[in-house]
Amino acid sequence: VKTCTVGDVFGELALLYNCPRAATVMSKSSSVCWQLDRDTFNNIVKEAAQKKRDRYDAFLSKVPLLSGMDAYERSQLADALKPEVFSDGATVMSQGEVGSKFYIIEEGAAFASKNGTRVMDYGVGDYFGELALITNQPRAATVTSKGTSRLLSIQKSSFNRLLNVNDLLERSNKYK
């Protein structure tokens, strides 16, 4: 099913979901394996998840768009966010492409351009990508990283489930 090499892990699904192991692991040669019991594993995973949630919650509470969300809603959103790092000049999204993600700038900056003309600058706490997700139309602009930027992204399905789309649509009218 799978060949494990140095640094690989296995058995985590059985620990996470409290279910029987799905496969047997056999060593092809003499090996050193580290083992964690269920309690230790759960403490490590839960502690890491809680630290991430707390860090993102503190950041999200300062984003004006999300100020109306309560702590539970923000924690749900925090769990769905994925960090992405873009180098200077990297294209985050391109005008005309199908939208699949919403972005919030956690660190750094970016700018939007339409047909080659710069139309908007973004900084920490700013967001973009919502229009294509809300309207199901192609991306209206190309967004490019200005310097190294760390963005938080959320997939379209989670975006629609977790955010107040009507509020976003009202706010997005300023870009037209």
Side-chain angles (χ1 to χ4, degrees), residues 12-20 38 41-42:
E12 74 280 3
L13 294 178
L15 293 175
L16 278 171
Y17 301 111
N18 198 22
C19 62
R38 182 183 311 273
F41 177 80
N42 283 334

Side-chain angles (χ1 to χ4, degrees), residues 10 14 27 38 42 46 49-50 68-69 76 83 85 97 138 142-143 146-147 161 165-166 169 171:
F10 54 88
S27 177
R38 182 183 311 273
N42 283 334
K46 287 177 183 171
Q50 187 62 46
M69 297 177 90
Q76 295 285 79
V85 176
E97 74 183 9
T142 295
V143 176
K146 192 167 39 172
R161 182 172 45 85
V165 174
N166 290 331
L169 194 53
R171 291 171 187 245

Side-chain angles (χ1 to χ4, degrees), residues 5-35:
T5 59
V6 173
D8 283 347
V9 297
F10 54 88
E12 74 280 3
L13 294 178
L15 293 175
L16 278 171
Y17 301 111
N18 198 22
C19 62
R21 301 213 184 269
T24 299
V25 177
M26 297 172 47
S27 177
K28 290 182 178 178
S29 61
S30 180
S31 305
V32 175
C33 285
W34 291 79
Q35 169 185 313

Side-chain angles (χ1 to χ4, degrees), residues 90-103:
T91 300
V92 178
M93 61 186 210
S94 298
Q95 183 175 353
E97 74 183 9
V98 174
S100 61
K101 293 180 184 175
F102 169 70
Y103 296 94

Side-chain angles (χ1 to χ4, degrees), residues 93-158:
M93 61 186 210
S94 298
Q95 183 175 353
E97 74 183 9
V98 174
S100 61
K101 293 180 184 175
F102 169 70
Y103 296 94
I104 303 171
I105 298 182
E106 182 181 23
E107 296 173 6
F111 64 90
S113 53
K114 285 187 177 186
N115 304 316
T117 302
R118 195 165 173 157
V119 295
M120 178 75 86
D121 288 303
Y122 299 108
V124 173
D126 288 338
Y127 60 92
F128 55 89
E130 76 284 1
L131 284 178
L133 303 186
I134 294 168
T135 63
N136 287 318
Q137 294 184 2
R139 297 283 193 196
T142 295
V143 176
T144 306
S145 180
K146 192 167 39 172
T148 300
S149 299
R150 181 180 167 96
L151 309 181
L152 301 176
S153 69
I154 185 168
Q155 292 292 327
K156 182 177 182 174
S157 58
S158 298

